[in-house]
Amino acid sequence: MDPYGLTRVIGQPGVLPQRAERLDPSLPLREDEMLLDVERLNVDAASFRQLRQAAGDDAVKVGAEIARIVTERGKMQNPVTGSGGMLLGRVREVGPQHPAQGRLVPGDRVATLVSLTLTPLLLRSVDTVDLSADRVDVSGHAILFASGLWAKLPPDLPEALVLALLDVCGAPALVARHVQAGARVLVIGAGKSGALCCAQAKRNGARQVIAADISAAAVARLEKLGYAEGLAIDATRAMDVHAAIVEATSGALCDLVVNVASVPGTEMASLLSVRKGGTVIFFSMATSFTAAALGAEGVGKDATLLIGNGYVEGHAELALDLIRHEPALRQLLEERFKA
Amino acid sequence: MDPYGLTRVIGQPGVLPQRAERLDPSLPLREDEMLLDVERLNVDAASFRQLRQAAGDDAVKVGAEIARIVTERGKMQNPVTGSGGMLLGRVREVGPQHPAQGRLVPGDRVATLVSLTLTPLLLRSVDTVDLSADRVDVSGHAILFASGLWAKLPPDLPEALVLALLDVCGAPALVARHVQAGARVLVIGAGKSGALCCAQAKRNGARQVIAADISAAAVARLEKLGYAEGLAIDATRAMDVHAAIVEATSGALCDLVVNVASVPGTEMASLLSVRKGGTVIFFSMATSFTAAALGAEGVGKDATLLIGNGYVEGHAELALDLIRHEPALRQLLEERFKA
């Protein structure tokens, strides 16, 4: 038995698949693995942004680079950002020792809830790259280990929406865990994750939710829906953000800051916006560990700094539940994530 | 007033000193700054290790590289690791608007509690490099902003010991905050920080403290003093560590894992050693944010992942208090950190 997939790592014995340079996605399937026919990749925001920039926003070039990375590494792990994303596909075979045995049958549509950075992947073709939705239609196969989380797609929600949701469902789940009623919350980044986090913070009874983003349109959308006060600002400019949050909170600063920015350099804005004794959750894959750790020390801010864990028990159910109960949020995300 | 030192940043308006490429350490002193005559730098462990490796363990070359970095950047921030350390010196001048006005006078010996990564520094000479203690004797001056934390050196403890302690005092302070009585604790890294964390965990009433390090001598020292069970192991080999911790805890895993390793690649060992619902504190400056965040997701581990904040209120007093009450720990550290 090999629940973490060590036998799929090429040339680095004892190294786990995520840290490995290369994985072996070849068949046959082991007894404790599951085989998926892959239809779509949802590349994580930081990685997709890097790929777009490197390719000058050319969808065909982005697709070619993804094909190159997967051929070289046997997985979709962006070598620059180190991050991945997740995928949607159909069950082809469930190994007799895989925990999904008896719960999934060939043909079932599932999304993976583990990162692409540790999922053996073999692509036959990269078909359509949707630059606006960080989404790539492909054909190929992927292998899920016994420890790998997955979700069966619910029948009542559009697949594209579900995939987009599941990709980031750890963020609203951690918000649900950390927002107390009456809290002041700042969410940095007003894209998909940001919208989910704002809506969840409201549901938890936050007294004030502020959504900060460089895009005035993005923050206006959340403001219009009543999920947040919008703050159109460049979050890499820490002192500007600090001044705006001091004003918005009458000097109290925020109890919780959730960082889901897709650009680097927003650690200090987060640290300067949280009150002494408050909490910052860094969910952005562009977060620099040293910038966060040393930054807090540098400004003498005693706050709890959390690494946004992509896995929170019940996170998929929570995100799907959130979208079912928030029609405005569903509409917003459906417009962006059309099939 | 400029409490965060923005006016000391060269060529990047609005950028805080820590993120800046270059700082201006020149005089005259501003009204809200403090000027120190610098005598010694304590370079952080990850940075010092990198410098040593690049210089082939040649103390003179390490010194030359430190001089080069400080000349180029106006601060001691290792361009590879991004990390710094702290310094010891003597007060030369306290600006009339600096908060230390009235509490410190010229001639007082102080250590900085903010990172060297944001401290304007000008070196006239690099004198002695102590490869065994991550310590460099220098002469020059440094500037402390109004927000910059400092500690006056206590008269009852040797300076070298105090400086070594203050450099890492955030770690035992966070351990004090997070260890419940009866907890099982794993500390990865049995050097200076590791010793302090183990001793503090014991004081908090941990039922089991395990110290893991690749150096059998280092873990044997802590075991002999009664601070921990020693586990001599390569913590970059996650599966080996996991197996050892399963055995040591009879399958329970640890409530708290404290990572103070000075090498990269120990995130997965930390994640596989903590129980579901437990906490990992990453204090190592070699921590990769994405490896930690995606690693937890990859193995489906719902645990609280903390970025070790270098500033915890009262951390300096707590560390000094710990060493005063633990003669064995004091002796251990004094042997390593001779004046």
Side-chain angles (χ1 to χ4, degrees):
Chain A
M1 298 294 288
D2 179 24
Y4 298 124
L6 274 85
T7 58
R8 290 286 179 181
V9 172
I10 298 174
Q12 294 172 286
V15 169
L16 283 155
Q18 190 160 65
R19 280 191 67 214
E21 277 305 306
R22 293 171 62 218
L23 302 181
D24 171 13
S26 69
L27 299 180
L29 196 69
R30 319 312 200 221
E31 293 224 317
D32 59 347
E33 294 177 336
M34 174 158 65
L35 181 63
L36 304 176
D37 284 319
V38 182
E39 299 172 0
R40 180 172 286 176
L41 307 180
N42 255 38
V43 177
D44 93 278
S47 169
F48 205 78
R49 186 188 163 83
Q50 188 277 329
L51 292 169
R52 277 179 62 166
Q53 285 185 337
D57 277 334
D58 178 329
V60 173
K61 282 190 189 159
V62 169
E65 178 62 7
I66 289 172
R68 191 193 66 75
I69 292 171
V70 175
T71 301
E72 188 174 303
R73 307 198 65 174
K75 59 177 174 174
M76 180 52 207
Q77 180 171 25
N78 184 317
V80 178
T81 63
S83 55
M86 32 87 80
L87 63 82
L88 180 146
R90 210 176 270 281
V91 174
R92 195 202 297 177
E93 187 184 341
V94 183
Q97 303 296 324
H98 190 279
Q101 186 59 244
R103 298 162 65 198
L104 287 174
V105 295
D108 278 346
R109 294 180 64 71
V110 295
T112 58
L113 299 180
V114 285
S115 172
L116 289 175
T117 57
L118 58 88
T119 305
L121 179 64
L122 187 148
L123 295 182
R124 283 187 303 278
S125 65
V126 175
D127 304 324
T128 315
V129 176
D130 183 339
L131 290 184
S132 66
D134 307 353
R135 198 168 66 196
V136 187
D137 289 335
V138 300
S139 94
H141 77 242
I143 290 164
L144 221 58
F145 310 129
S147 67
L149 305 163
W150 49 267
K152 198 169 167 176
L153 295 181
D156 64 323
L157 293 168
E159 273 180 15
L161 176 65
V162 171
L163 189 57
L165 271 180
L166 293 180
D167 184 27
V168 297
C169 58
L174 268 196
V175 167
R177 192 176 279 180
H178 287 280
V179 172
Q180 315 280 333
R184 289 187 173 89
V185 180
L186 167 65
V187 177
I188 299 181
K192 175 175 65 170
S193 292
L196 290 164
C197 290
C198 288
Q200 184 64 50
K202 277 281 179 198
R203 281 179 78 82
N204 276 41
R207 106 171 59 172
Q208 187 176 20
V209 180
I210 303 167
D213 199 294
I214 200 164
S215 160
V219 300
R221 273 197 297 273
L222 295 186
E223 191 162 82
K224 197 175 148 203
L225 296 178
Y227 290 132
E229 302 166 28
L231 174 62
I233 201 162
D234 177 355
T236 66
R237 298 189 60 83
M239 296 306 294
D240 295 353
V241 174
H242 178 245
I245 296 301
V246 165
E247 195 188 328
T249 61
S250 307
L253 299 179
C254 293
D255 303 295
L256 178 72
V257 174
V258 184
N259 185 319
V260 289
S262 61
V263 297
T266 62
E267 296 86 358
M268 282 314 303
S270 310
L271 297 167
L272 292 178
S273 299
V274 73
R275 69 166 168 80
K276 178 180 149 183
T279 298
V280 181
I281 310 178
F282 290 99
F283 247 104
S284 166
M285 284 298 143
T287 303
S288 155
F289 180 86
T290 47
L294 297 177
E297 183 185 279
V299 296
K301 179 66 67 77
D302 184 359
T304 299
L305 311 181
L306 290 173
I307 296 172
N309 184 342
Y311 178 57
V312 178
E313 214 165 55
H315 61 346
E317 297 73 14
L318 183 137
L320 295 171
D321 192 57
L322 177 64
I323 205 88
R324 287 188 183 108
H325 286 87
E326 295 287 342
L329 181 66
R330 175 170 172 170
Q331 192 185 345
L332 175 73
L333 295 179
E334 276 194 304
E335 275 163 22
R336 183 161 163 209
F337 298 99
K338 293 199 187 74
Chain B
M1 297 294 286
D2 178 25
Y4 298 125
L6 275 85
T7 57
R8 289 286 180 181
V9 172
I10 298 175
Q12 295 172 285
V15 169
L16 283 155
Q18 189 160 66
R19 278 191 67 215
E21 276 307 307
R22 293 172 60 219
L23 302 181
D24 171 14
S26 68
L27 301 180
L29 196 69
R30 320 312 200 220
E31 292 224 317
D32 59 348
E33 294 176 338
M34 176 158 65
L35 181 64
L36 304 176
D37 284 319
V38 183
E39 299 172 0
R40 180 172 287 176
L41 306 180
N42 255 38
V43 177
D44 93 277
S47 170
F48 205 79
R49 187 188 162 83
Q50 188 277 327
L51 292 169
R52 278 179 62 167
Q53 284 185 338
D57 277 335
D58 179 330
V60 174
K61 282 190 188 160
V62 169
E65 178 63 6
I66 288 171
R68 192 194 65 75
I69 292 171
V70 175
T71 302
E72 187 173 304
R73 308 198 64 173
K75 57 177 173 174
M76 179 52 208
Q77 180 171 27
N78 183 318
V80 177
T81 63
S83 54
M86 32 87 81
L87 63 81
L88 180 146
R90 211 177 270 278
V91 174
R92 194 200 300 175
E93 186 184 343
V94 183
Q97 304 296 324
H98 190 278
Q101 186 57 245
R103 299 164 64 201
L104 287 175
V105 295
D108 278 347
R109 295 180 63 73
V110 295
T112 58
L113 299 179
V114 286
S115 173
L116 288 176
T117 59
L118 57 86
T119 305
L121 180 63
L122 188 147
L123 295 182
R124 282 186 303 278
S125 65
V126 174
D127 305 322
T128 314
V129 175
D130 182 339
L131 290 182
S132 66
D134 307 355
R135 198 169 66 196
V136 187
D137 288 335
V138 300
S139 93
H141 76 243
I143 291 163
L144 221 58
F145 310 129
S147 67
L149 304 161
W150 49 268
K152 197 169 166 177
L153 295 181
D156 63 323
L157 293 168
E159 273 181 16
L161 176 65
V162 170
L163 189 58
L165 271 181
L166 294 180
D167 183 28
V168 298
C169 58
L174 268 195
V175 167
R177 192 177 279 182
H178 287 280
V179 171
Q180 315 280 333
R184 288 188 175 88
V185 180
L186 168 64
V187 177
I188 299 180
K192 175 176 64 171
S193 292
L196 290 165
C197 290
C198 288
Q200 185 63 51
K202 277 281 179 196
R203 281 180 79 82
N204 275 40
R207 105 169 60 172
Q208 186 175 21
V209 180
I210 303 166
D213 198 294
I214 201 164
S215 159
V219 301
R221 272 195 298 271
L222 295 185
E223 191 162 84
K224 197 176 151 203
L225 296 179
Y227 290 131
E229 303 166 27
L231 174 62
I233 202 162
D234 178 354
T236 66
R237 299 189 58 84
M239 297 305 294
D240 294 353
V241 175
H242 178 244
I245 296 301
V246 165
E247 196 188 327
T249 61
S250 308
L253 298 179
C254 293
D255 303 294
L256 178 71
V257 175
V258 184
N259 186 320
V260 288
S262 60
V263 296
T266 62
E267 298 86 358
M268 283 311 303
S270 309
L271 297 167
L272 292 177
S273 299
V274 74
R275 68 165 168 81
K276 177 178 150 184
T279 298
V280 182
I281 309 178
F282 291 98
F283 246 105
S284 166
M285 284 299 143
T287 302
S288 155
F289 180 87
T290 48
L294 297 175
E297 183 185 281
V299 296
K301 179 66 66 76
D302 184 357
T304 299
L305 312 181
L306 291 173
I307 296 171
N309 185 342
Y311 178 58
V312 178
E313 215 166 54
H315 61 346
E317 297 74 12
L318 184 136
L320 295 172
D321 192 56
L322 177 64
I323 206 87
R324 288 187 183 110
H325 286 86
E326 296 286 342
L329 181 65
R330 175 171 171 170
Q331 193 185 345
L332 175 73
L333 296 180
E334 278 194 303
E335 275 164 20
R336 186 166 160 207
F337 298 99
K338 293 199 185 77

